[in-house]
Amino acid sequence: MKPGTASVLSDQSFGVRPVARLRTPFADKFGVPRQSGLVEEAEGRVEFLPEFAREDFVRGLDAFSHVWLVTWFHRSAEWTGAATVRPPRLGGNDRVGVFASRSPNRPNALGLSLVRLLAIETSPALALRVAGIDAVDGTPVLDVKPYLPWCEALPTARADWAGGAPCVREAEAVSIPPPIAERLVHGSGPEGIRTLELVRHLLRLDLQPAYQRSDAGADAGGRRTWGMTVAGWNIRWRATEDGRGVEVVEADQLRMTNDK
Amino acid sequence: MKPGTASVLSDQSFGVRPVARLRTPFADKFGVPRQSGLVEEAEGRVEFLPEFAREDFVRGLDAFSHVWLVTWFHRSAEWTGAATVRPPRLGGNDRVGVFASRSPNRPNALGLSLVRLLAIETSPALALRVAGIDAVDGTPVLDVKPYLPWCEALPTARADWAGGAPCVREAEAVSIPPPIAERLVHGSGPEGIRTLELVRHLLRLDLQPAYQRSDAGADAGGRRTWGMTVAGWNIRWRATEDGRGVEVVEADQLRMTNDK
């Protein structure tokens, strides 16, 4: 290393550009699973941009069951220079370093998602159908790489305070009243059952931001209603009266547009 | 998605910048293990740039045994637009799509390395000591993320033609004549034994570029000599006469400079 190279390096920057765009059921950040692979029903499509939309680009990818997506957190606020973040995992109060977290708010807004490859579509355009996605609809994809289990699967790796899947509810703890479930199934077209299962699975996760778990914004009954937009539906839910589960109170289908 | 957004996206590009610089034993690409984690003796240091060199940035990272490094392949030729590459794994003849490979020559020169976190150093400057590195010395690091085994360790993932560690030689198939081994140990300072083991382990991997395995450049005895620069040594080796192993024929220590 020649003297002075460090400062040259620190002034350096590189340009990256999307090679594909992700289509996912998640219209906004609220509702997005906190990591990839958590919600298998969360399917997405990696739609390659015209320049990369040739089968050659993915030749041989069908040999792999899982792929990495390097994404750009395009909906996160620009990083302000904060060295620490408050991960939901720690109740939203304790701070850890941004490089000890997977927070989208980081110096370079690079995301890393491991998804299951369901199919390579070639018509009408080149796309990957994937499961277990954890990104907002429209997320730019900068790279696709095959997952190499012989060097990347380390089941005994240590992750003390982030060591297991986030706290989930039992399926029975999520109540979707039959009339609402019916509407979700029948209003979602061929995706009907899947949409219902996706909503149910998402509500089994711990979606309420931990730092807002107080009663702020609660209704007359003392319960706060939460909302998310997923798979074209606006879903609203609240805690059950016994406080041990959640119940869906509303499901409104968004107006479908042709370009969706 | 509003009409026209796709073309806007394809014109878009994002700027990324190094947050750290990697110091590794590998002065040039030849000799670098093909994936991270293959050569545990390959230790490196992630040296944070001044802006990010505060302990806060890595607070809590000691809870993790492994970390991801998102790197920039700064020594790779600029991507020329080729949709396919010839992975060494397939003998260097068959082509696969660039998104089905981990080739450094890709549309965005983003690398992904999973390394073991040995220590967090705070003096004289903030750095991570890591093992199993697979990058050239000086590689810019764009991001550090903790490895989450509960969602990223998938030992049963399928990777048909890239399903196991690259072909390695038995330790006995690597011959380092005692005088050369002595020099490697005693000329490497406190790192002596480790340097010898690093060289031995690297030569157990299949380092000769597959597409150059012909006799081009062979010596009078019909054997070609290969070279690599590693841990401050220029190592030269060739196949043994029976063709079943390799033997080191030369080890020259590079002149050490103060700024290394």
Side-chain angles (χ1 to χ4, degrees), chain A residues 1-3 5-6 9-10 12-21 23 35-38 48-52 54 56-66 68 70 72-74 79 81-84 89 95-103 106-108 110-112 114 137-138 140-166 257 259-260, chain B residues 1-3 5-6 9-10 12-21 23 35-38 48-52 54 56-66 68 70 72-74 79 81-84 89 95-103 106-108 110-112 114 137-138 140-166 257 259-260:
Chain A
M1 200 75 188
K2 310 234 170 13
T5 313
L9 187 64
S10 67
Q12 214 170 3
S13 78
F14 311 107
V16 291
R17 59 193 168 136
V19 300
R21 178 188 53 195
R23 304 313 307 257
Q35 300 298 337
S36 52
L38 275 181
F48 287 92
L49 299 188
E51 187 187 350
F52 305 97
R54 282 179 15 230
D56 270 356
F57 274 98
V58 295
R59 193 197 296 174
L61 192 61
D62 53 350
F64 299 89
S65 61
H66 291 76
W68 289 111
V70 182
W72 188 258
F73 291 121
H74 69 311
W79 184 67
T84 58
R89 168 81 61 169
R95 290 192 164 272
V96 302
V98 63
F99 296 131
S101 88
R102 297 289 284 253
S103 165
R106 49 203 312 117
N108 292 303
L110 295 168
L112 197 53
L114 178 56
D137 189 43
V141 177
L142 305 180
D143 207 353
V144 175
K145 297 177 191 284
Y147 178 70
L148 303 178
W150 55 270
C151 62
E152 298 180 320
L154 303 178
T156 60
R158 191 168 50 78
D160 293 350
W161 51 261
T257 56
D259 48 40
K260 173 79 189 187
Chain B
M1 199 75 190
K2 307 226 170 24
T5 313
L9 186 63
S10 66
Q12 213 170 2
S13 78
F14 311 108
V16 291
R17 59 191 170 140
V19 300
R21 179 188 51 194
R23 304 312 306 255
Q35 301 298 336
S36 53
L38 276 180
F48 287 92
L49 299 188
E51 186 186 350
F52 305 97
R54 283 183 9 234
D56 269 356
F57 274 98
V58 295
R59 192 197 297 174
L61 191 61
D62 54 350
F64 299 89
S65 60
H66 291 77
W68 289 111
V70 183
W72 188 259
F73 291 120
H74 69 311
W79 183 67
T84 58
R89 168 80 62 167
R95 289 190 164 273
V96 302
V98 64
F99 297 130
S101 88
R102 298 290 283 253
S103 166
R106 52 201 311 117
N108 292 302
L110 296 167
L112 198 54
L114 178 57
D137 189 44
V141 177
L142 305 180
D143 206 353
V144 175
K145 296 176 192 283
Y147 179 71
L148 303 177
W150 54 271
C151 62
E152 298 181 318
L154 303 177
T156 61
R158 191 168 51 78
D160 293 348
W161 51 262
T257 57
D259 48 41
K260 172 77 191 192

Side-chain angles (χ1 to χ4, degrees), chain B residues 220-235:
Chain B
R223 290 181 288 167
R224 176 168 176 158
T225 301
W226 306 89
M228 65 174 168
T229 304
V230 58
W233 291 82
N234 194 280
I235 308 286

Side-chain angles (χ1 to χ4, degrees), chain B residues 174 226 238:
Chain B
V174 175
W226 306 89
R238 64 182 174 197

Side-chain angles (χ1 to χ4, degrees), chain B residues 4 15 23 25 29 62 71 76 98 122 129 148 156 178 200 203 207 225 234 236 240-241 243:
Chain B
R23 304 312 306 255
K29 285 198 283 182
D62 54 350
T71 58
S76 284
V98 64
T122 53
R129 208 151 56 76
L148 303 177
T156 61
R200 193 185 299 281
L203 291 179
L207 285 174
T225 301
N234 194 280
R236 297 185 69 75
T240 51
E241 275 190 24

